[in-house]
Amino acid sequence: MTLDEFVDHNVSIIDFLKANLKSVDRCTVSQMNREINVDEHTAYLLDNIQINSVLCTDVYIKNINFNGKFPKNLEDLHIKNSEWIGYERLLEIDCKSVILDNNRISDEQWNLFLKKWIAMETYLNLVYLQLIYRNFEEFRALVLHDIPHEVVDEGVKRTFKTRRNCIQQLSGGIDIRRIDGKTATLFVFGPGWHGGFWMCIH
């Protein structure tokens, strides 16, 4: 649904969909003109349409206190233009595969997020998390400084599930372990990669 195409009719279109569809498996929400504020209609869609599996949002949320609720337990959640996502909103997300193109989360907050994941306090369903590129050594120094971790030799190749259950063989990485024995392997790729930071759970 392109929310800035028929702005005056968005609510009635969403109401029509709600009345005629029990749920949808996949949903893409977008806009062409970033100057048009579609925050309210995006939230209305998320509150009124049950999405079962995949959600991709490509809208320009203006309000960092955006009150739309993302569905839980999705197979795949991709939030483009996600500059408005802060720490508290990050903790509300609970999906298997999560891609955030940008965010407002500090290094200290990423440190807290990983500690919560280790303690099984958040993201219990997570299989794959992808963020924009960051420097490997900076990430270790600023985020992992007090988190037990193991740097895996680049000569070690392992197979991981990535987005939408795709299987990829990757070398090296940084392992951190959750209290139940599950491992998150963190990868930081060069700036040429889109989404250069990956967290794969296995």
Side-chain angles (χ1 to χ4, degrees):
M1 186 169 179
T2 306
L3 290 178
D4 60 335
E5 197 158 345
F6 305 105
V7 177
D8 294 339
H9 302 287
N10 280 340
V11 171
S12 58
I13 291 170
I14 293 165
D15 287 344
F16 174 82
L17 292 171
K18 183 180 180 181
N20 290 279
L21 292 171
K22 183 178 178 183
S23 64
V24 296
D25 288 332
R26 304 167 66 91
C27 178
T28 299
V29 186
S30 60
Q31 74 179 108
M32 301 295 191
N33 183 351
R34 67 185 303 161
E35 301 306 315
I36 297 174
N37 189 322
V38 296
D39 290 18
E40 189 176 323
H41 291 161
T42 302
Y44 189 75
L45 183 143
L46 293 174
D47 289 343
N48 287 281
I49 302 296
Q50 181 181 325
I51 303 161
N52 299 324
S53 183
V54 177
L55 172 61
C56 177
T57 68
D58 190 5
V59 293
Y60 296 91
I61 299 298
K62 304 283 191 289
N63 184 356
I64 61 172
N65 296 312
F66 173 70
N67 63 358
K69 302 294 181 194
F70 290 108
K72 303 283 187 185
N73 301 314
L74 293 177
E75 290 292 324
D76 192 76
L77 173 63
H78 186 177
I79 307 174
K80 299 181 179 181
N81 314 309
S82 52
E83 296 88 349
W84 57 278
I85 296 281
Y87 180 66
E88 295 302 325
R89 180 49 63 96
L90 175 72
L91 294 181
E92 293 174 7
I93 296 171
D94 184 18
C95 301
K96 289 184 179 177
S97 172
V98 178
I99 301 176
L100 303 177
D101 286 1
N102 291 289
N103 59 78
R104 298 184 302 106
I105 301 160
S106 68
D107 290 323
E108 182 182 359
Q109 289 170 331
W110 279 118
N111 174 273
L112 292 173
F113 168 79
L114 290 174
K115 287 176 178 174
K116 282 183 173 290
W117 180 83
I118 290 168
M120 296 183 68
E121 294 174 7
T122 193
Y123 277 69
L124 298 183
N125 295 314
L126 185 68
V127 173
Y128 175 73
L129 173 66
Q130 178 180 311
L131 307 169
I132 58 168
Y133 167 73
R134 16 183 341 152
N135 179 275
F136 181 82
E137 292 304 328
E138 181 183 273
F139 180 81
R140 278 192 71 195
L142 300 178
V143 177
L144 298 179
H145 58 89
D146 61 350
I147 293 176
H149 63 277
E150 177 188 351
V151 178
V152 179
D153 188 272
E154 284 296 318
V156 177
K157 293 192 175 195
R158 295 177 290 175
T159 301
F160 298 92
K161 274 187 182 179
T162 59
R163 187 180 186 198
R164 295 180 184 167
N165 290 320
C166 290
I167 304 297
Q168 268 192 267
Q169 191 175 69
L170 299 167
S171 299
I174 302 172
D175 285 354
I176 60 174
R177 284 185 177 78
R178 200 162 71 180
I179 58 172
D180 66 345
K182 277 196 179 273
T183 298
T185 300
L186 313 176
F187 296 96
V188 181
F189 300 104
W193 283 65
H194 174 70
F197 175 90
W198 294 5
M199 178 174 172
C200 302
I201 316 300
H202 51 103

